[in-house]
């Protein structure tokens, strides 16, 4: 069956050419993302831009919060859900959400977190995590705005709203205030993780999915052959 054999060989050669042209090859090096990738810093083989660099630098610090919490509360599990603030900024969804919408949400959320971090500073004035990140929130907001098509449409908290937010967090119980501060740091990290994933990782996911769908017939060719 020479003609059938030639057809299979031609299909295999064409498929191999397509795979070599696909961005991100070789395929065997593609791995799924993990939270460790939050601070890895590379997107699709290119050096990170300034926005990514600032975001990664903040995440490199905030990911240390769990260890800091466990040092302070040795006999407690890493659970702060009971002290989570109801009005915390929503994270960027992983699906059906544009990058522009995510940038909009990030700017508004970071504006609110800039106020919430003052509560952390009030409870932990010597926090090493806070000292390294609090001065980077403003520049991060500005960098995100520079990539937006309509940054004027962003609504941020006014000074009086920020003051009221801090007053609402000033619980009479000292332990409650400290746990709220830890909850803010934990949720701040998650907020940035999901923002980074939405802004920088979607194309990589789509690329890997496309490569996998292209590779699938290869096994059929060789199995049938």
């Amino acid at each position: 069956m020479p003609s059938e054999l030639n057809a299979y060989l031609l299909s295999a050669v064409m498929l191999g050419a397509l795979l070599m042209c696909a961005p991100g090859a070789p395929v065997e090096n593609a791995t799924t993302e993990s939270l460790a990738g939050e601070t890895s810093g590379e997107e699709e083989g290119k050096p990170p831009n300034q926005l990514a660099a600032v975001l990664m630098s903040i995440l490199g610090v905030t990911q240390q919060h769990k260890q800091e919490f466990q040092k302070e509360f040795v006999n407690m599990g890493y659970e702060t859900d009971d002290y989570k603030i109801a009005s915390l900024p929503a994270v960027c969804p992983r699906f059906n959400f544009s990058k522009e919408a995510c940038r909009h949400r990030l700017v508004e959320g970071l504006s609110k977190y800039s106020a919430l971090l003052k509560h952390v500073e009030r409870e932990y004035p010597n926090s090493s995590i806070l000292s390294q990140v609090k001065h980077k929130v403003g520049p991060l907001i500005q960098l995100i705005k520079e990539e937006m098509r309509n940054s004027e449409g962003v609504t941020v908290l006014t000074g009086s709203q920020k003051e009221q937010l801090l007053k609402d967090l000033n619980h009479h119980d000292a332990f409650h205030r400290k746990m709220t501060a830890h909850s803010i740091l934990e949720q701040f990290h998650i907020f940035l993780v999901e923002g980074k994933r939405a802004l920088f990782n979607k194309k990589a996911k789509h690329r890997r999915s496309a490569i996998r769908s292209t590779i699938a017939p290869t096994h059929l060719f060789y199995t049938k052959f």
Side-chain angles (χ1 to χ4, degrees), residues 86-141:
S87 58
L88 280 173
V91 302
C92 293
R94 298 195 180 191
F95 304 102
N96 302 320
F97 206 66
S98 70
K99 287 190 176 184
E100 181 68 11
C102 182
R103 293 184 188 105
H104 191 283
R105 182 168 291 188
L106 282 170
V107 170
E108 292 187 345
L110 286 168
S111 172
K112 191 166 190 176
Y113 270 112
S114 68
L116 293 171
L117 291 174
K118 292 186 182 298
H119 174 76
V120 179
E121 186 173 23
R122 185 166 60 190
E123 296 302 315
Y124 293 95
N126 299 318
S127 168
S128 61
I129 294 176
L130 188 62
S131 65
Q132 295 179 73
V133 303
K134 65 179 181 180
H135 299 301
K136 296 180 180 180
V137 175
L140 180 60
I141 291 174

Side-chain angles (χ1 to χ4, degrees), residues 11-151:
S11 298
V13 169
M14 291 176 65
L15 183 60
L18 286 173
L19 288 175
M20 290 188 68
C21 294
V27 177
E28 59 268 19
N29 290 334
T31 57
T32 55
E33 295 158 289
S34 66
L35 287 185
E38 296 153 17
T39 56
S40 63
E42 291 200 2
E43 165 62 14
E44 301 189 79
K46 297 180 181 179
N49 59 22
Q50 190 176 2
L51 168 57
V54 173
L55 182 53
M56 299 297 181
S57 69
I58 296 175
L59 284 169
V61 178
T62 57
Q63 70 176 357
Q64 301 169 21
H65 172 249
K66 182 175 182 179
Q67 289 74 23
E68 291 295 316
F69 179 88
Q70 291 173 336
K71 284 180 183 178
E72 183 176 359
F73 302 102
V74 179
N75 297 319
M76 285 182 61
Y78 187 56
E79 293 291 339
T80 61
D81 286 348
D82 291 341
Y83 304 92
K84 188 183 293 185
I85 303 166
S87 58
L88 280 173
V91 302
C92 293
R94 298 195 180 191
F95 304 102
N96 302 320
F97 206 66
S98 70
K99 287 190 176 184
E100 181 68 11
C102 182
R103 293 184 188 105
H104 191 283
R105 182 168 291 188
L106 282 170
V107 170
E108 292 187 345
L110 286 168
S111 172
K112 191 166 190 176
Y113 270 112
S114 68
L116 293 171
L117 291 174
K118 292 186 182 298
H119 174 76
V120 179
E121 186 173 23
R122 185 166 60 190
E123 296 302 315
Y124 293 95
N126 299 318
S127 168
S128 61
I129 294 176
L130 188 62
S131 65
Q132 295 179 73
V133 303
K134 65 179 181 180
H135 299 301
K136 296 180 180 180
V137 175
L140 180 60
I141 291 174
Q142 185 57 39
L143 288 167
I144 297 172
K145 281 185 173 182
E146 289 174 2
E147 295 197 0
M148 294 178 68
R149 293 190 294 271
N150 182 25
S151 60

Side-chain angles (χ1 to χ4, degrees), residues 10 20 24 33 64 120 143 154 156 180 182 196 222:
L10 178 60
M20 290 188 68
E33 295 158 289
Q64 301 169 21
V120 179
L143 288 167
V154 174
V156 298
T180 299
H182 282 292
K196 178 249 178 191
Y222 281 99

Side-chain angles (χ1 to χ4, degrees), residues 171-190:
H171 197 274
H172 63 86
D173 181 68
F175 179 75
H176 190 284
R177 293 197 305 271
K178 289 185 178 298
M179 291 300 292
T180 299
H182 282 292
S183 178
I184 290 170
L185 287 176
E186 179 188 14
Q187 296 304 314
F188 180 54
H189 178 71
I190 294 171

